[in-house]
Amino acid sequence: MSFRKNISLLYLIKVSKWFTLVMPVIVLFYESNGLGLKDVFILKSVYSMAAVILEIPSGYLADVWGRRKCLILGCILYFGGYLSYSFTDTFTAFLFAEILLGVGQTLVNGADSALLYDTTVEHNKEPLYLRYEGRITMIGNFAEAFAGILGGLLAVYSLRLPFFFQTAIAFIGIPAAIALKEAKQRNVIKSPLQEIVKIIRYSLFTNKQLCYNIMYSGIIGAATLTMAWFVQPLLIHLKTPTSLYGIIWTVLNLTVGIAALYSDKVDRFFGVRKMGIIILFFIAGGYIALAFNLSYVGLFVLFIFYIFRGFATPILKGYINQMTLSEMRATVLSIRNFVIRLMFAAIAPFIGWMNDVYSLQIALLTSAAIIFIPGLLFLVLQFKANPPVQSPSE
């Protein structure tokens, strides 16, 4: 009973975080409150910095304090962020809201997947982990997809209305997190900094196979996140009617969700080694294909790319989960998220500069090189290290 209950509650938490009504209109909302594009980038940089700084400590906190407690606190802060947005109109207030959102999201990241994995282990359903991770990813992307359409409709009446509804949706995560059952008793915090350093050393230096998997997963994660920010520049380049933005956004996110649902079957069919090669080929190759198809054919390229984005997230997280001990699982997943955020923060300004100074095509090709070269390196290192783990679904 607790197994099904935990799974259902984790679904609700995912929806509370991913049903983002504000995304299609957030820039318009900022402009209506007197903010320029420079201010927008500062706000998003603050969000990323808050997430990067706290990513690994939050994972360790989830390991020793408890996944459930971290999820509760994260959901409360996330709710507070949108509550602040709903009733304020100044840059300083928005800055505070972004910090709350960044910290809240970071506390949830890692803790949710770790609790899911521990729940499957506790109920002797470990082989089903990847299936449920895929379903959670699917639910998140479905929620994001439909929220895009609804958010646009609400904004017709008021640009602040999506934030009011977003606050109510964010609140759903709080009672859901409170109702969760912790899968295992956690350790008492003795020396947090020392333990964090110990886990980082183990994950990135001692256990080579785990290190290579984390780095490879981080590269692919950063690549899929970067591509998400290329969608609107492509639509602008194509002079796409604004009315179609929400529809295209919805189709792409539905694609990710459906692909994630079948990730365990795809992983079982190809196996670990072939799956790693296929993911790298289609993710890096997607940038190249899009660079040479800056037409409506590019939308088909994006569709294929988003299919493999849906496969990659649950599969690569599943590999890391399987080779990680329970007492450090959330911390290790947070290290993965840290790598993704750090890589994105490092390359995004440069890629944006390439787009502004040269062209969208050059920016896409540069991105492909940045992704493919280190991605291939860590994939080869995985193959040369100890034999890779079997697929969790096998």
Side-chain angles (χ1 to χ4, degrees):
M1 183 66 180
S2 61
F3 175 78
R4 292 293 178 188
K5 180 181 177 183
N6 264 17
I7 297 298
S8 299
L9 292 171
L10 287 170
Y11 289 165
L12 279 178
I13 292 172
K14 192 71 170 183
V15 170
S16 74
K17 296 293 171 291
W18 283 58
F19 200 86
T20 47
L21 297 165
V22 304
M23 283 304 293
V25 297
I26 193 165
V27 176
L28 294 175
F29 174 78
Y30 286 143
E31 289 180 348
S32 71
N33 286 281
L35 275 65
L37 192 58
K38 177 183 176 182
D39 299 316
V40 174
F41 280 121
I42 291 174
L43 289 174
K44 296 308 166 186
S45 295
V46 168
Y47 175 93
S48 296
M49 287 302 297
V52 166
I53 292 170
L54 295 175
E55 189 66 68
I56 298 175
S58 69
Y60 175 75
L61 186 63
D63 282 331
V64 297
W65 188 38
R67 305 7 175 156
R68 175 177 169 273
K69 291 178 182 177
C70 266
L71 287 168
I72 293 171
L73 180 58
C75 289
I76 291 173
L77 293 177
Y78 199 75
F79 166 74
Y82 280 116
L83 190 66
S84 177
Y85 261 124
S86 297
F87 297 100
T88 59
D89 58 5
T90 66
F91 176 81
T92 303
F94 294 162
L95 199 66
F96 176 69
E98 286 295 313
I99 293 173
L100 290 178
L101 291 173
V103 175
Q105 184 67 48
T106 303
L107 285 168
V108 172
N109 286 343
D112 54 357
S113 290
L115 181 57
L116 172 63
Y117 193 84
D118 286 346
T119 299
T120 61
V121 171
E122 187 175 85
H123 292 84
N124 299 314
K125 297 180 183 291
E126 184 178 355
L128 298 179
Y129 162 77
L130 184 54
R131 180 181 303 174
Y132 286 109
E133 184 70 64
R135 288 178 182 175
I136 288 177
T137 302
M138 176 200 71
I139 287 171
N141 283 279
F142 277 20
E144 186 177 11
F146 289 116
I149 296 176
L150 181 57
L153 294 175
L154 291 172
V156 172
Y157 298 96
S158 168
L159 286 172
R160 197 170 289 272
L161 193 57
F163 284 89
F164 291 144
F165 278 84
Q166 189 75 65
T167 303
I169 291 167
F171 179 79
I172 294 172
I174 299 175
I178 292 173
L180 284 167
K181 179 182 180 296
E182 190 73 76
K184 186 179 180 181
Q185 186 67 34
R186 299 296 147 207
N187 303 322
V188 177
I189 298 177
K190 295 179 180 179
S191 178
L193 182 59
Q194 184 178 352
E195 286 298 313
I196 290 173
V197 171
K198 180 181 176 181
I199 295 173
I200 293 174
R201 186 185 299 117
Y202 171 79
S203 302
L204 299 181
F205 298 97
T206 304
N207 189 331
K208 299 295 185 183
Q209 187 68 2
L210 179 57
C211 168
Y212 301 149
N213 272 271
I214 289 172
M215 296 305 296
Y216 178 74
S217 181
I219 291 165
I220 297 300
T224 59
L225 179 59
T226 302
M227 179 61 87
W229 290 101
F230 271 119
V231 174
Q232 290 191 36
L234 173 65
L235 296 180
I236 293 171
H237 178 81
L238 297 177
K239 297 180 172 58
T240 306
T242 305
S243 59
L244 295 180
Y245 276 52
I247 296 173
I248 293 171
W249 182 258
T250 297
V251 170
L252 290 175
N253 281 285
L254 286 175
T255 300
V256 175
I258 294 171
L261 183 62
Y262 292 97
S263 59
D264 64 320
K265 294 182 175 63
V266 173
D267 181 53
R268 185 167 57 248
F269 180 80
F270 287 105
V272 177
R273 287 180 180 268
K274 289 181 181 177
M275 202 67 238
I277 296 170
I278 290 170
I279 288 173
L280 180 63
F281 176 81
F282 278 94
I283 294 299
Y287 279 88
I288 298 173
L290 186 60
F292 290 103
N293 289 281
L294 293 175
S295 62
Y296 280 101
V297 175
L299 295 179
F300 176 74
V301 174
L302 278 176
F303 175 75
I304 300 299
F305 183 95
Y306 269 64
I307 289 176
F308 283 88
R309 179 183 183 181
F311 292 152
T313 300
I315 288 174
L316 297 181
K317 285 171 71 175
Y319 295 163
I320 292 172
N321 265 315
Q322 192 180 3
M323 62 180 66
T324 305
L325 299 173
S326 177
E327 58 266 24
M328 63 172 66
R329 183 164 292 125
T331 308
V332 172
L333 289 172
S334 288
I335 293 172
R336 171 191 176 271
N337 293 334
F338 175 84
V339 171
I340 292 173
R341 293 183 185 280
L342 193 61
M343 285 195 63
F344 176 75
I347 68 175
F350 174 67
I351 296 302
W353 176 80
M354 294 290 290
N355 177 75
D356 292 342
V357 174
Y358 296 100
S359 67
L360 179 58
Q361 183 182 57
I362 296 298
L364 287 165
L365 291 173
T366 302
S367 299
I370 293 173
I371 293 159
F372 181 75
I373 295 173
L376 181 62
L377 171 64
F378 284 107
L379 195 60
V380 170
L381 288 173
Q382 282 184 49
F383 294 165
K384 286 187 175 181
N386 295 327
V389 297
Q390 287 190 331
S391 301
S393 53
E394 291 180 338

